[in-house]
Amino acid sequence: MSNTSQKHRDFVAEPMGDKPVTALSGIGEVLGKKLEEEGFDKAYTVLGQFLLLRKDVEMFSEWLKDTSGANSKQATSCSQCLKEWCDAFL
Amino acid sequence: MTFSVYSLPLLSAFSILIQRSIRSPATMSTLSSKSAQEISELLDQYGIKHGPVVDSTRGLYEKKLREAMAKGTAVKPSSDKTFYREEQEEITYVHRRVPLRNEAFMDSGRSYTERYREEEDESRDEPGLYRTEASHRYVSHSTPPPLKTSSAAARKETTSSDTRLIPLWLQFLVFLGVAAFLYYVFTCMETPEKNPFKRVE
């Protein structure tokens, strides 16, 4: 529990609904803007990509780094966040 | 002279291209022109776990394939071979065991216990063939019924002799001896027909 940020805990606590992509753990304003440019404006679209990659944390992290220019820490954080959300709600 | 100057870089470029194609059987340069199905198959060949190849995932998978091709990672056929070998092993294992089973039924109870010990030893040696043990047991369960009807009495005797300390024939003998003794005592008591009070007179 102490390893996860508040943002992570908030996201994983409830269904994401129409939350923006910046609500994801590890995704700040800069990365959020980049993702929106690529067409991923909502958190659920990024979830869609995560699911397409078969919920593989490593694969998704790589994709995120390539698409948004995220660093390793941010990408892993986002992947973990989505994985936990899936475990809870999918 | 100018001809030689132009031909040299051309030759080197050409050789590089040839080298590239030799290194990777699937052409690296035409990866983007392949169909989604082909990309999927290539990913399987390189042992890369993947989801559907769609617009958003294609770029990533192409990148993964290029990395794998550069590394020259293992191809699919090798894994198939091991699977086949396993199947073969399974078959030979069952064949070896079936005649042993028949033997056990023909012999006395002694070999029955021997076979059990053998089974235990073999299971310890080859834990990988756990499945064959189960399949063997299935086989063994199917064979007893036809054998049972033919040698039922013999089997009963052998199994019962295995559990008793004193052999059955001895028990019968002792029983008959005791019965005979009791009968003798009974007849001894019955035979005097004369008056028991003879002495009194």
Side-chain angles (χ1 to χ4, degrees):
Chain A
M1 256 300 231
S2 57
N3 287 342
T4 56
S5 64
Q6 186 60 44
K7 209 172 169 189
H8 174 105
R9 288 195 288 274
D10 287 343
F11 191 84
V12 176
E14 57 181 1
M16 64 174 79
D18 284 330
K19 280 185 190 170
V21 75
T22 47
L24 283 161
S25 172
I27 308 294
E29 270 197 49
V30 176
L31 293 176
K33 200 151 223 105
K34 194 71 176 54
L35 281 169
E36 278 168 31
E37 282 171 22
E38 297 291 320
F40 297 90
D41 57 339
K42 294 283 185 187
Y44 61 71
T45 53
V46 180
L47 171 71
Q49 186 67 10
F50 182 68
L51 297 175
L52 275 174
L53 295 168
R54 300 184 66 90
K55 299 192 269 177
D56 188 303
V57 169
E58 275 179 46
M59 200 67 108
F60 178 77
S61 299
E62 204 172 323
W63 172 84
L64 195 62
K65 281 188 250 181
D66 291 343
T67 313
S68 67
N71 63 35
S72 195
K73 187 175 166 221
Q74 289 166 320
T76 319
S77 177
C78 184
S79 307
Q80 274 302 125
C81 178
L82 280 169
K83 186 172 188 308
E84 274 186 45
W85 188 93
C86 285
D87 288 342
F89 297 103
L90 198 57
Chain B
M1 253 217 228
T2 49
F3 179 70
S4 62
V5 171
Y6 280 126
S7 64
L8 206 66
L10 262 171
L11 267 169
S12 56
F14 196 60
S15 64
I16 287 167
L17 251 166
I18 288 172
Q19 272 179 38
R20 273 228 182 113
S21 59
I22 289 167
R23 208 183 300 144
S24 57
T27 47
M28 277 164 82
S29 51
T30 60
L31 214 56
S32 42
S33 65
K34 292 203 183 295
S35 72
Q37 182 74 17
E38 286 171 333
I39 299 279
S40 182
E41 283 168 10
L42 279 167
L43 285 162
D44 288 333
Q45 270 186 34
Y46 286 93
I48 300 167
K49 283 185 191 167
H50 64 97
V53 182
V54 287
D55 290 341
S56 58
T57 58
R58 193 177 174 118
L60 179 70
Y61 290 143
E62 281 183 15
K63 178 186 157 199
K64 283 272 185 191
L65 274 172
R66 280 193 206 99
E67 283 173 17
M69 282 183 198
K71 268 189 188 172
T73 45
V75 217
K76 209 183 173 188
S78 58
S79 58
D80 271 350
K81 271 184 196 162
T82 54
F83 186 77
Y84 185 63
R85 231 185 292 124
E86 260 190 67
E87 274 193 59
Q88 266 199 338
E89 270 189 60
E90 211 176 318
I91 290 166
T92 53
Y93 198 73
V94 172
H95 269 278
R96 194 157 48 88
R97 305 280 261 141
V98 170
L100 206 72
R101 246 284 172 179
N102 288 328
E103 263 182 48
F105 273 115
M106 298 306 184
D107 293 344
S108 61
R110 188 168 39 84
S111 68
Y112 202 74
T113 50
E114 262 179 35
R115 193 187 47 77
Y116 262 124
R117 234 176 282 124
E118 257 187 60
E119 221 179 296
E120 273 183 47
D121 288 336
E122 292 212 51
S123 65
R124 253 185 272 128
D125 288 335
E126 291 153 313
L129 290 164
Y130 196 70
R131 265 182 294 129
T132 59
E133 282 286 313
S135 64
H136 163 67
R137 283 211 186 87
Y138 264 115
V139 171
S140 67
H141 276 284
S142 63
T143 46
L147 280 163
K148 205 174 182 179
T149 51
S150 59
S151 61
R155 201 162 67 88
K156 264 188 187 166
E157 259 191 50
T158 53
T159 48
S160 55
S161 67
D162 199 34
T163 55
R164 288 172 206 267
L165 283 165
I166 307 163
L168 196 67
W169 59 269
L170 189 66
Q171 286 187 356
F172 277 140
L173 209 66
V174 169
F175 173 73
L176 283 169
V178 168
F181 173 71
L182 286 171
Y183 181 73
Y184 172 70
V185 167
F186 178 72
T187 47
C188 272
M189 289 174 81
E190 280 285 318
T191 34
E193 281 163 12
K194 294 179 195 162
N195 201 348
F197 304 111
K198 192 178 113 184
R199 204 173 274 222
V200 177
E201 279 186 348

